[in-house]
Amino acid sequence: MTENQTSITEFILLGFPVGLRVRMLLFGLFSLFYAFTLLGNGAILGLICLDPQLHTPMYFFLSHLAIVDMSYASNNVPKMLANLLSKKRTIFFAPCILQTFLYMAFAHTECLILVVMSYDRYVAICHPLHYTVIMSWTACTVQVIASWACGSLLALVHVVLLLRLPFCGPHEINHFFCELLSVLKLACEDTRLNHVVIFAASVFILVGPLCLVLVSYTRILFAILRIQSGEGRRKAFSTCSSHLCVVGLFFGSAIVMYMAPKSSHPEEQQKVLSLFYSLFNPMLNPLIYSLRNTEVKGTLWRVLWKQGSV
């Protein structure tokens, strides 16, 4: 096994099988999305750090979501952009495995942080009088640490099971980064255990959290319907519906990719689904969760006004 693994020192990332002009177009488009992702999430982090009014549990969770999104995109996108312009699309074995680990760790962590955020909104809307007690800083810190720890631990399990397999060729990964399922296809031994663990982990990290999110927002919806003010009801419903759209895109694409029968989605479709994780969700999250928020927009205008008056 060790001999077979060491015989494969690098992989070839096939990426998108398109012509040069299309690759140039994709490079420009994906670079723009990546820049918006870093700018949007970086702006959220900066505003939360600068404004004491945003030092609340909700924005504490949002800051960690922004960190996850920037890290997640930065793990996959730069290599994908480089390969769009390069003829040699190789990646060494160790960086490939590291990319797989980080990809899974950030994805798992984001799932859990979205659950924590939905619970935070549930407590704020359904139990406002007990909010400061339930969502204390100790509780918030424990929830965030648990999200990062569980996400990293699950990713480590996948990587350990991956490393037990020999990779004796072929060494072409039909993806734009070292995605777990695509790397598994290159193994020379039976991967049934890996797929069973992936399915079990998906139930734990996708189906379970999705059910918790839906329960939280269902309770929130009933609370919104009891609001007497039409304007307050409209604002609360608009916020929750936009959150659910992002959650639906993230969890839906992940469930289709990792839990649906493999024959139901070809490899090219897997690449499109992966773009939701790498580009679209990290770019949309700051727009949906933060920049549409009145407090964040107020902080942004105050910062810009100070900079303009200097």
Side-chain angles (χ1 to χ4, degrees):
M1 173 176 165
T2 305
E3 183 179 342
N4 285 335
Q5 279 189 322
T6 54
S7 64
I8 298 293
T9 59
E10 62 181 21
F11 297 111
I12 297 175
L13 296 169
L14 298 182
F16 301 97
V18 293
L20 179 60
R21 290 185 178 180
V22 177
R23 281 192 282 118
M24 294 295 292
L25 176 63
L26 292 177
F27 176 84
L29 188 63
F30 293 160
S31 296
L32 192 62
F33 288 164
Y34 182 51
F36 281 143
T37 297
L38 296 182
L39 182 62
N41 287 286
I44 296 305
L45 273 177
L47 292 175
I48 292 173
C49 292
L50 289 173
D51 193 349
Q53 296 181 12
L54 300 183
H55 294 174
T56 62
M58 181 178 73
Y59 294 105
F60 175 66
F61 296 136
L62 280 172
S63 66
H64 281 271
L65 182 66
I67 293 172
V68 170
D69 284 337
M70 287 193 296
S71 303
Y72 192 64
S74 298
N75 180 53
N76 301 338
V77 177
K79 184 63 177 176
M80 176 185 68
L81 294 176
N83 287 343
L84 285 172
L85 300 181
S86 174
K87 292 182 178 179
K88 187 180 180 182
R89 306 170 190 173
T90 58
I91 182 170
F92 288 108
F93 183 84
C96 182
I97 299 302
L98 178 62
Q99 190 180 58
T100 302
F101 168 76
L102 293 176
Y103 161 72
M104 300 302 295
F106 293 137
H108 293 156
T109 302
E110 179 154 352
C111 290
L112 298 175
I113 288 181
L114 288 174
V115 174
V116 171
M117 291 174 63
S118 69
Y119 178 69
D120 172 74
R121 290 299 83 206
Y122 160 72
V123 175
I125 294 175
C126 299
H127 303 283
L129 298 179
H130 301 93
Y131 180 76
T132 55
V133 176
I134 298 174
M135 301 304 294
S136 65
W137 280 112
T138 301
C140 294
T141 304
V142 169
Q143 291 174 46
V144 166
I145 292 175
S147 298
W148 282 97
C150 289
S152 301
L153 183 60
L154 275 173
L156 184 62
V157 170
H158 290 304
V159 168
V160 168
L161 291 176
L162 180 66
L163 288 175
R164 73 182 179 87
L165 300 170
F167 295 91
C168 49
H171 58 289
E172 293 182 342
I173 299 176
N174 191 11
H175 217 291
F176 58 84
F177 73 102
C178 291
E179 193 272 328
L180 179 61
L181 294 177
S182 299
V183 176
L184 276 176
K185 292 177 181 178
L186 307 185
C188 303
E189 286 188 0
D190 188 11
T191 60
R192 278 181 294 183
L193 175 60
N194 298 75
H195 286 287
V196 168
V197 172
I198 290 172
F199 185 84
S202 298
V203 173
F204 173 75
I205 206 73
L206 292 174
V207 178
L210 179 59
C211 291
L212 293 175
V213 170
L214 293 178
V215 168
S216 296
Y217 279 105
T218 301
R219 299 289 298 274
I220 290 172
L221 178 61
F222 284 122
I224 290 173
L225 294 176
R226 291 195 296 266
I227 297 176
Q228 299 296 325
S229 168
E231 181 66 16
R233 187 187 306 161
R234 185 191 64 80
K235 288 182 178 179
F237 184 76
S238 174
T239 300
C240 291
S241 61
S242 60
H243 289 190
L244 279 174
C245 287
V246 174
V247 168
L249 281 174
F250 183 83
F251 283 94
S253 55
I255 289 173
V256 169
M257 187 166 182
Y258 290 102
M259 301 190 70
K262 296 298 172 286
S263 58
S264 63
H265 52 284
E267 291 178 329
E268 297 306 315
Q269 187 177 337
Q270 288 186 29
K271 298 177 188 177
V272 175
L273 290 173
S274 296
L275 286 175
F276 278 100
Y277 294 101
S278 303
L279 279 175
F280 300 133
N281 271 317
M283 183 180 64
L284 288 175
N285 281 345
L287 296 174
I288 297 297
Y289 283 100
S290 304
L291 297 180
R292 294 174 71 250
N293 188 289
T294 304
E295 292 177 334
V296 174
K297 287 191 288 188
T299 301
L300 179 60
W301 283 116
R302 286 195 297 271
V303 171
L304 293 177
W305 178 261
K306 286 181 181 179
Q307 292 295 326
S309 59
V310 173

